[in-house]
């Protein structure tokens, strides 16, 4: 058991390379990945990102990141480099702050689960999950939900359905 102070307010994911030589730490609203030696936990050179991170997930040995700019990035901890990037139109369409995401194994579908916003005055914004098709570079579905935020979203391997869980009441759509 080891402990290291990474000086990040809210850590949302930790991943190592396959040999456990490097540890990558992702923090919400940080525009960089902290990197530590897997044995000594000494700091290594950080990985700079183009925008702060809003959500992160460790999937299939890769680190999936959604940036506040709307970009979705697959980061490979074994190479220490970006493997794939898809740019959405979230900022230009007033998209929600992303809480969770899923990318299909083929990279074709991306589901971005947003945070519900109380809004200003009498204009609350329901929770929205946006589904993008990367082959046609388009938003193909928006799933609206009133109530509690998404706590998990997954695209199944055949890309035929999306499983979503909501705080206090899991559902499948």
């Amino acid at each position: 058991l080891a402990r290291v102070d990474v000086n990040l307010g809210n850590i949302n994911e930790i991943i190592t390379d396959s040999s456990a030589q490097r540890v990558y730490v992702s923090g919400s609203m940080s525009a960089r990945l902290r990197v530590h030696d897997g044995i000594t936990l000494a700091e290594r050179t950080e990985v700079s990102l183009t925008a702060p991170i809003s959500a992160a997930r460790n999937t299939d040995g890769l680190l999936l990141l959604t940036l506040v700019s709307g970009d979705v990035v697959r980061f490979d901890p074994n190479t220490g480099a970006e493997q794939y990037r898809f740019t959405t139109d979230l900022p230009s369409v007033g998209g929600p702050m992303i809480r969770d995401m899923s990318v299909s194994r083929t990279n074709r579908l991306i589901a971005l689960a947003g945070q519900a916003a109380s809004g200003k005055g009498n204009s609350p914004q329901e929770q929205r999950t946006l589904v993008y098709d990367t082959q046609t570079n388009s938003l193909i579905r928006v799933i609206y939900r009133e109530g509690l935020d998404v706590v998990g979203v997954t695209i199944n391997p055949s890309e035929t359905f999306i499983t979503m869980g909501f705080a206090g009441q899991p559902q499948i759509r």
Side-chain angles (χ1 to χ4, degrees):
L1 181 64
R3 179 181 172 220
V4 64
D5 181 11
V6 293
N7 195 22
L8 286 172
N10 185 20
I11 295 172
N12 53 15
E13 194 62 74
I14 298 172
I15 190 171
T16 66
D17 62 5
S18 59
S19 63
Q21 295 294 310
R22 289 175 294 196
V23 179
Y24 295 89
V25 181
S26 165
S28 291
M29 295 303 144
S30 174
R32 60 188 179 215
L33 293 173
R34 301 290 176 96
V35 184
H36 293 270
D37 183 275
I39 307 229
T40 66
L41 296 180
E43 288 186 35
R44 289 193 172 181
T45 304
E46 297 176 334
V47 175
S48 295
L49 303 169
T50 56
I53 300 164
S54 64
R57 178 186 271 194
N58 176 350
T59 304
D60 297 330
L62 298 173
L63 183 60
L64 299 178
L65 303 167
T66 301
L67 309 180
V68 296
S69 62
D71 289 0
V72 177
V73 176
R74 270 192 175 183
F75 179 82
D76 186 344
N78 293 310
T79 63
E82 181 179 307
Q83 183 188 56
Y84 173 83
R85 179 179 291 251
F86 179 74
T87 301
T88 69
D89 56 355
L90 278 177
S92 63
V93 298
M97 175 64 74
I98 301 304
R99 290 180 53 96
D100 199 2
M101 91 297 270
S102 181
V103 177
S104 65
R105 290 186 180 163
T106 64
N107 287 333
R108 180 171 184 177
L109 298 178
I110 297 174
L112 302 175
Q115 181 173 337
S118 56
K120 294 180 181 177
N122 292 326
S123 60
Q125 189 176 68
E126 64 280 328
Q127 188 281 322
R128 293 179 286 164
T129 298
L130 299 93
V131 182
Y132 288 88
D133 183 332
T134 61
Q135 287 183 351
T136 61
N137 198 28
S138 60
L139 175 65
I140 58 172
R141 176 147 342 249
V142 179
I143 303 167
Y144 294 94
R145 167 107 169 46
E146 291 183 19
L148 303 171
D149 283 324
V150 167
V151 293
V153 61
T154 304
I155 299 172
N156 79 321
S158 67
E159 299 180 353
T160 55
F161 64 88
I162 297 173
T163 304
M164 300 169 67
F166 297 91
Q169 43 185 309
Q171 296 182 8
I172 296 176
R173 293 190 182 230

